[in-house]
C-alpha cells in the first residue's frame, strides 16, 4: 500500500480526501452507511426537483386564488409580484433550493408562516395516529398471516385470504363512515369524529406532541383517557385497511419459510410446534416482511390523509388537503418533501435493521 | 429371532402436484429394522427413499398423503397415533438428519444455541447447563474449539462442520432409531468418510439403531449389516449386506451395483 | 369439473361481479325513473319503494345516482388501467431492451416516484391540474405508469436474452419490430394481472379523490362524491346516503381484486 505522507491538516488537497475515503472504506459499516446516505441524498434531490416542477409547471395560479374571485388583473399581478411568481421558473427554483439549504421550506401564503413550522406542529398528530394504526395492524395481521400459513389450504386459510382480498378492496373513507355510524351514532362508544380531544379539554404540555404520551407524562389521566378515546377508532379503521396487504405478505413469507429444511430439522429433533412457528419461522419470515415495509408505510400515509379528513384530525394530511384546495404551493411541496424524506430514512433504517437481524448480511 | 424395532407394512403414499394430479410415490413399501442394527436403504434418486424416511418421522410434506399401511414402532402403529403423541416421539425416540446440512440449520440462530435447545428439550437441563452440555456434544461430534465455533452462524460453517452440529443434536436426542438421509451428499470425499465414521462410532456407542439412506454401495458394505433396495416406490430386495454383494437376487440390484458401485458418482445424479 | 370450478372460484366470482357492473353501466341508466342531478322537494328520504336507496339533501334519487356513477367510475378505472398499461409497458420495454444510461436514469426516476404512495401522487397532480374527469384520469394514470414500467422492464431483461430475440434480429427486423411484435407479447402475462389490480386501485383512488373534493366534483353522480355528500350527515344518521354508493364502490374494487388474484393463480399453473 502506498500512503502519501500527511501534508498537514489544513491542506485541502485530493490526497486528504483519498485518506478520508480509505479510512471509511476500511470500516465496512461506515462505508456502507456513506454509500447509502449518498444514494438517499441523490433520491432526495430528485424528489426536490420533481416536487418543485410538478407543482409549478402545471396550471393553477396561487395568486389568482389568493386574489379571490372578484379581483382585477392589477391585484393579481400585485400578488404575483409579492409571491415571486412573476420571475422565471429557473430563478424561482434556485431561490427555493437556496432556502431549502437553510432549512427553510418557504412561506405558506395563507397563514404567512414558514411551512416547516406548520408541518412541525402538525406532524405529531399524524405520527401518533399512524403509529397507533401500525401497532394495531401488526396485532391483526401477525396472527392472521401466521394462521393462514400454518393451516394453508384449509378453510381457515381460505377465509383469511378472502378477508385480505376484501380488505384490499374496502374504501377507507367508507369504512370510516360505517365505524363512526356504528360506534358514535348508534352505540355511543366513540366520541364525535372531531379532532384529537374533546372541545374544552386542554392540550397536555408539549413534550413529544403525542397527546396520549404527553398527558401521561403530565400525570393527567383524564386528558389521557380523552386522547385515547379519540384515537382508537381512527387508528383501528386505518389498521383494518393496512392489515390486508400486511396479512398477505406475512402469509407468503411464512409459507416460504415453513417449507425450509431447517424447519424440518427442528421438527425432527422434537422442538414443540408452537416454538417452531413463533421462534424459528417467524423470525426468518420477518426478513422478507421487513423489506416490503416501504409499501406498508405508503398505505399508512395515504390512509392517514383520508382518515384525518373523516375524523377532522389536525395532522399533516389535513394540512396538505387544505393547501391543495387553495394552491398553497410551498405547503404542498413541504409535505411532499417531508413524506419522501421519512420514506427514505425509513428505508435506511430498514436496511440497517436487516443487517442486524440477518447474520448472513455483514455489510462487506 | 428378536422383535423388530420398526416394521413398515405395505405403505402407500400419494403426492398431489401443483396441477392437482396425484401420483403414487410409495407403492407398498415393507421392511423391518431390528434393534441395534445398521440398516441401509439404497436406490436411485427419486425412488422414494426420502419419502419413506419422512413417513417414518411423520414429516411428510402437506401435499403427500399416506394412503394405507402401518408403521409399527415400540408396539404401536405410528400412523394410528394421535398427532400429539406422534410429536412426542420425534426427537426422543426417532430422529433424523438430512442431506444439505447447512440448510438444515436455522440461519438466524448461533449453532451452539441450536444444540443447547435440543439438550434442554430432551435432558431437562437449565439454560447454562444445557449450553455447556451442548459444547461437550459438539466436541463429541468432532468439533474442535467448541466455545468459539458454537458462536458461529450456520453460514459461517462448512458443510461437514454443519453436519457435525446436526450429529451433536442427535447425540442430545439419544433416539432409539436414527435416520440419516444421505448425510454426506455434497460434502468433500475426505469429509464424507469422516462423517460416516462418526455416525458409525456414535451408533456403536449409544447403541442406537440406524437407518442409513445412501446411494453409495461402498459405504453400505462398510457400515451396514442389512440393506433394502428400492426402485420406483417399491422395495425390490432386502438382504444381509454380505449376501447382497455376493449374489444380488433382483435384476435391479445387479443393475444398481453396476452403476452405483463405481468410485465416482454417476454423471446424472442430482440432489 | 367441480374441482376446476372451485379452483378458479375467485376468478369466476370476480368476473361475474364485474359483468354485473358492466351490465348496469350499459343499460342501467335507461331504466331509471329519475334524473341523476334533478333536485326534488323530497330531501333526506329513507329508502322506500319509491326511492329504493333513499334521497339526498337535494332530494335526488340515490339509486339513480349510484347507477349513473357506475358508468363513470368503471370508465375511469378501465381507462386508467389500459392507458397506464400501454404507456408503462412501452417505456419499460424500450428501456429494458436498450438498457444502458437511459435505463439507469429512468429507473432512478421510477424509484423516486415509488418513494411516494400512488394515491398521494394522484392527489397532488389532481390538486394542481384542477378538477375534471380528464385530469383525474391523467393524474391516476401517471401514478400507476411506474408499476408497469418496472414490471415490463424486468420481464424484458429476461426475455431479450432468449434465443428468438437474436433470431428475430438476425433476419433483419428493425428493433421497434423486435420489441413490439416479438418480445413485448411475452411480457404480457404479469402485466395482465397488474392491470386488473390497477383497475381496482384506480377506482378506489378516483372515488377517494372525489371524496376529498378533488377531480370529480359535486353535483356529478360519482360514488366518491356521493359518499362525501353523505359524510356531511354522518352525525345525524342518514346512513343510506353513503352506504349504498360505498357498497357499490367496494364491490367493484373487490371484483377487480378477485380477478387479479384469480388470474395469478390461473397463470402460475401454466
Ligand atoms: N417436492 C416435490 N414435488 C414433486 N414431487 C416430488 C417432490 N419431492 C419428491 N417428489 C417425488 O417423490 C418421489 C420420491 O422422491 P424421494 O423420496 O425424494 O426420492 P429419493 O429420496 O429416493 O431420491 C420422486 O419420484 C419425486 O418425483
Ligand atoms: Mg432423497
Amino acid at each position: 500500500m502506498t500512503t502519501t505522507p500527511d501534508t498537514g491538516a489544513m491542506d485541502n488537497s485530493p490526497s486528504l480526501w483519498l485518506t478520508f475515503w480509505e479510512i471509511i472504506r476500511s470500516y465496512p459499516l461506515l462505508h456502507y452507511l456513506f454509500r447509502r446516505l449518498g444514494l438517499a441524498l441523490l433520491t432526495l434531490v430528485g424528489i426536490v426537483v420533481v416536487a418543485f416542477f410538478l407543482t409549478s409547471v402545471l396550471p393553477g395560479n396561487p395568486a389568482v386564488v389568493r386574489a379571490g374571485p372578484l379581483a382585477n388583473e392589477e391585484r393579481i399581478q400585485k400578488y404575483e409580484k409579492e409571491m415571486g411568481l412573476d420571475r422565471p421558473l429557473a430563478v424561482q427554483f434556485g431561490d427555493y433550493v437556496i432556502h431549502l439549504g437553510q432549512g427553510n421550506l418557504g412561506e405558506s401564503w395563507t397563514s404567512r408562516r414558514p411551512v416547516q413550522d406548520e408541518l412541525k406542529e402538525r406532524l405529531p398528530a399524524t405520527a401518533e395516529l399512524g403509529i397507533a394504526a401500525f401497532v394495531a395492524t401488526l396485532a391483526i395481521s401477525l396472527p392472521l398471516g401466521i394462521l393462514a400459513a400454518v393451516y394453508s389450504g384449509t378453510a381457515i386459510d381460505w377465509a383469511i385470504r378472502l378477508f385480505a382480498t376484501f380488505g384490499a378492496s374496502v374504501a377507507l373513507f367508507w369504512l370510516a363512515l360505517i365505524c363512526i355510524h356504528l360506534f358514535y351514532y348508534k352505540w355511543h362508544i366513540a366520541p364525535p369524529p372531531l379532532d384529537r380531544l374533546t372541545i374544552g379539554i386542554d392540550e397536555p404540555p408539549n413534550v413529544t406532541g403525542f397527546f396520549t404520551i404527553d398527558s401521561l407524562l403530565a400525570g393527567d389521566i383524564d386528558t389521557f383517557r380523552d386522547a385515547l378515546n379519540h384515537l382508537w377508532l381512527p387508528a383501528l379503521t386505518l389498521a383494518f385497511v393496512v392489515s390486508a396487504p400486511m396479512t398477505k405478505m406475512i402469509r407468503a413469507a411464512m409459507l416460504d419459510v415453513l417449507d425450509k429444511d431447517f424447519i424440518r430439522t427442528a421438527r425432527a429433533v422434537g422442538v414443540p410446534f408452537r416454538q417452531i412457528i413463533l421462534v424459528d419461522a417467524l423470525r426468518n419470515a420477518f426478513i422478507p416482511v421487513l423489506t416490503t415495509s416501504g409499501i406498508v408505510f405508503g398505505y399508512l400515509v395515504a390512509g392517514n390523509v383520508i382518515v384525518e379528513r373523516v375524523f377532522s384530525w389536525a395532522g399533516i394530511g389535513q394540512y396538505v388537503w387544505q393547501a391543495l384546495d387553495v394552491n398553497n404551493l410551498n405547503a404542498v411541496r413541504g409535505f411532499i418533501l417531508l413524506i419522501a424524506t421519512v420514506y427514505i430514512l425509513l428505508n435506511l433504517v430498514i436496511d440497517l435493521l436487516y443487517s442486524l437481524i440477518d447474520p448472513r448480511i455483514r455489510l462487506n | 429371532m428378536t422383535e423388530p424395532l420398526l416394521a413398515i407394512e405395505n405403505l402407500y403414499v400419494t403426492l398431489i402436484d401443483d396441477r392437482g394430479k396425484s401420483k403414487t410415490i410409495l407403492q407398498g413399501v415393507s421392511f423391518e429394522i431390528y434393534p441395534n442394527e445398521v440398516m441401509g436403504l439404497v436406490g436411485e434418486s427419486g425412488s422414494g427413499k426420502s419419502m419413506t424416511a419422512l413417513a417414518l418421522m411423520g414429516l411428510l410434506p402437506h401435499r403427500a398423503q399416506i394412503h394405507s399401511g402401518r408403521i409399527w414402532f415400540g408396539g404401536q402403529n405410528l400412523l394410528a397415533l394421535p398427532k400429539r403423541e406422534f410429536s412426542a416421539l420425534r426427537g426422543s425416540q426417532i430422529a433424523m438428519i438430512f442431506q444439505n446440512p447447512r440448510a438444515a440449520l436455522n440461519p438466524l440462530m448461533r449453532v451452539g444455541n441450536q444444540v443447547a435447545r435440543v439438550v434442554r428439550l430432551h435432558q431437562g437441563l437449565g439454560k447454562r447447563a444445557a449450553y455447556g452440555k451442548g459444547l461437550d456434544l459438539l466436541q463429541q461430534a468432532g468439533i474442535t474449539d467448541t466455545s468459539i465455533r458454537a458462536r458461529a452462524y450456520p453460514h459461517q460453517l462448512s458443510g461437514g462442520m454443519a453436519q457435525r452440529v446436526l450429529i451433536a443434536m442427535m447425540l442430545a436426542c439419544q433416539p432409539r432409531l436414527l435416520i440419516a438421509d444421505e448425510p454426506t451428499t455434497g460434502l468433500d470425499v475426505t469429509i464424507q468418510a469422516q462423517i460416516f465414521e462418526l455416525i458409525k462410532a456414535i451408533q456403536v456407542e449409544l447403541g442406537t439403531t440406524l437407518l442409513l439412506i445412501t446411494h453409495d454401495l461402498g459405504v453400505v458394505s462398510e457400515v451396514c449389516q442389512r440393506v433394502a433396495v428400492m426402485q420406483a416406490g417399491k422395495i425390490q430386495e432386502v438382504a444381509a449386506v454380505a449376501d447382497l454383494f455376493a449374489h444380488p437376487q433382483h435384476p435391479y440390484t445387479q443393475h444398481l451395483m453396476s452403476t452405483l458401485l463405481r468410485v465416482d458418482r454417476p454423471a446424472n445424479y442430482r440432489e | 369439473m367441480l374441482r376446476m370450478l372451485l379452483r378458479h372460484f375467485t376468478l369466476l366470482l370476480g368476473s361475474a361481479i364485474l359483468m354485473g357492473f358492466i351490465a348496469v353501466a350499459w343499460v342501467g341508466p335507461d331504466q331509471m325513473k329519475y334524473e341523476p342531478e334533478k333536485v326534488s322537494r323530497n330531501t333526506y328520504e329513507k329508502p322506500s319503494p319509491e326511492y329504493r336507496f333513499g334521497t339526498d339533501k337535494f332530494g335526488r334519487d340515490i339509486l339513480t345516482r349510484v347507477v349513473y356513477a357506475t358508468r363513470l367510475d368503471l370508465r375511469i378505472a378501465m381507462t386508467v388501467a389500459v392507458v397506464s398499461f400501454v404507456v408503462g409497458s412501452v417505456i419499460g420495454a424500450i428501456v429494458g431492451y436498450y438498457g444502458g444510461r437511459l435505463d439507469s436514469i429512468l429507473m432512478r426516476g421510477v424509484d423516486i416516484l415509488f418513494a411516494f404512495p400512488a394515491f398521494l401522487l394522484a392527489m397532488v397532480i389532481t390538486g394542481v391540474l384542477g378538477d375534471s374527469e380528464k385530469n383525474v384520469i391523467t393524474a391516476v394514470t401517471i401514478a400507476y405508469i411506474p408499476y408497469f414500467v418496472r414490471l415490463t422492464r424486468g420481464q424484458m431483461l429476461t426475455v431479450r436474452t432468449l434465443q428468438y430475440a437474436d433470431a428475430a434480429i438476425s433476419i433483419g427486423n428493425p428493433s421497434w419490430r423486435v420489441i413490439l411484435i416479438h418480445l413485448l407479447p411475452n411480457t404480457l402475462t404479469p402485466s395482465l394481472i397488474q392491470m386488473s389490480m390497477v383497475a381496482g386501485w384506480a377506482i378506489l383512488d378516483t372515488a377517494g379523490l372525489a371524496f376529498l373534493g378533488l377531480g370529480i366534483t359535486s353535483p356529478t353522480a360519482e360514488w366518491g362524491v356521493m359518499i362525501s355528500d353523505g359524510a356531511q350527515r354522518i352525525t345525524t344518521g342518514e346512513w343510506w346516503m353513503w352506504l349504498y354508493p360505498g357498497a357499490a364502490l367496494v364491490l367493484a374494487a373487490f371484483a377487480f381484486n378477485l380477478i387479479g388474484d384469480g388470474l395469478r393463480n390461473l397463470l402460475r399453473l401454466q
Side-chain angles (χ1 to χ4, degrees), chain A residues 43 46-47 58-59 158 165-166 168-169 171 173-174 177-178 180-181 184-185 248 298 301 305 309-310 320-321 336 343, chain C residues 9 108 112 115-117 120 123 128 204 208 211-212 227 234-237 239 242-243 246-247 249-250 253-254 257 261:
Chain A
T43 313
I47 287 170
L58 300 173
W158 207 80
T165 305
F166 183 70
S169 324
F173 45 100
W174 185 62
L177 292 178
I178 293 181
I180 294 171
H181 182 77
Y184 164 66
Y185 180 76
K248 274 190 178 172
V301 174
V305 175
R309 176 84 201 97
V310 183
V320 74
W321 178 74
I336 296 178
Y343 176 83
Chain C
F9 177 73
R108 269 290 347 122
I112 290 172
F116 219 66
L120 292 189
M123 184 174 98
V128 180
L204 287 174
F211 178 79
L212 294 178
I227 298 170
I234 187 61
T235 52
T236 48
W239 50 269
W242 48 265
L243 188 72
L249 168 64
V250 169
F254 190 48
N257 275 322
D261 277 1

Side-chain angles (χ1 to χ4, degrees), chain A residues 54-260:
Chain A
L54 187 71
T55 47
S56 314
V57 170
L58 300 173
N61 187 345
V64 176
V65 182
R66 184 175 167 192
L70 300 175
N72 53 13
E73 194 59 28
E74 201 179 324
R75 197 182 171 85
I76 291 174
Q77 272 171 11
K78 175 176 161 262
Y79 278 132
E80 270 186 345
K81 192 153 180 134
E82 200 180 303
M83 295 159 84
L85 293 170
D86 56 337
R87 298 169 303 164
L89 208 56
V91 175
Q92 289 184 40
F93 180 63
D95 204 38
Y96 188 74
V97 171
I98 289 170
H99 280 134
L100 200 61
Q102 300 161 346
N104 183 354
L105 289 172
E107 188 181 79
S108 152
W109 72 255
T110 43
S111 65
R112 316 304 301 263
R113 297 182 56 215
V115 167
Q116 67 270 19
D117 290 356
E118 299 197 317
L119 284 175
K120 214 182 288 165
E121 274 167 24
R122 282 165 167 260
L123 185 60
T126 299
E128 186 174 32
L129 179 56
I131 290 172
F134 181 66
V135 172
T137 299
L138 283 183
I140 297 171
S141 51
L142 264 179
L144 288 187
I146 293 171
L147 271 180
V150 171
Y151 296 101
S152 89
T154 66
I156 296 177
D157 181 28
W158 207 80
I160 292 175
R161 279 160 68 188
L162 202 68
F163 157 79
T165 305
F166 183 70
S169 324
V170 166
L172 181 54
F173 45 100
W174 185 62
L175 182 69
L177 292 178
I178 293 181
C179 288
I180 294 171
H181 182 77
L182 293 179
F183 291 100
Y184 164 66
Y185 180 76
K186 264 225 147 90
W187 300 331
H188 310 292
I189 304 174
L194 298 168
D195 211 354
R196 305 166 71 190
L197 290 172
T198 304
I199 298 166
I201 292 191
D202 291 334
E203 290 183 14
N206 186 3
V207 182
T208 60
F210 290 19
F211 286 176
T212 46
I213 295 180
D214 287 353
S215 58
L216 277 185
L217 288 179
D220 185 349
I221 295 298
D222 287 339
T223 306
F224 172 73
R225 199 172 288 147
D226 195 61
L228 200 63
N229 215 8
H230 280 79
L231 181 62
W232 69 269
L233 192 58
L236 276 185
T237 311
L238 186 50
F240 182 88
V241 172
V242 181
S243 61
M246 192 75 176
T247 303
K248 274 190 178 172
M249 286 189 277
I250 291 173
R251 174 182 178 272
M254 280 295 281
L255 267 185
D256 201 49
V257 171
L258 286 176
D259 228 28
K260 291 268 161 66

Side-chain angles (χ1 to χ4, degrees), chain A residues 43-58 93 96 100 329-330 332-338 340, chain C residues 112-113 116 121 124 128:
Chain A
T43 313
L44 209 55
V45 168
I47 287 170
V48 172
V49 175
V50 172
F52 183 86
F53 287 97
L54 187 71
T55 47
S56 314
V57 170
L58 300 173
F93 180 63
Y96 188 74
L100 200 61
L329 294 189
N330 281 338
V332 175
R333 288 170 191 151
F335 171 81
I336 296 178
L337 289 187
L338 177 64
Chain C
I112 290 172
L113 286 183
F116 219 66
L121 195 61
V124 171
V128 180

Side-chain angles (χ1 to χ4, degrees), chain B residues 180-193:
Chain B
D181 186 359
E182 309 201 30
T184 63
T185 307
L187 303 184
D188 289 348
V189 181
T190 47
I191 309 284
Q192 288 193 8

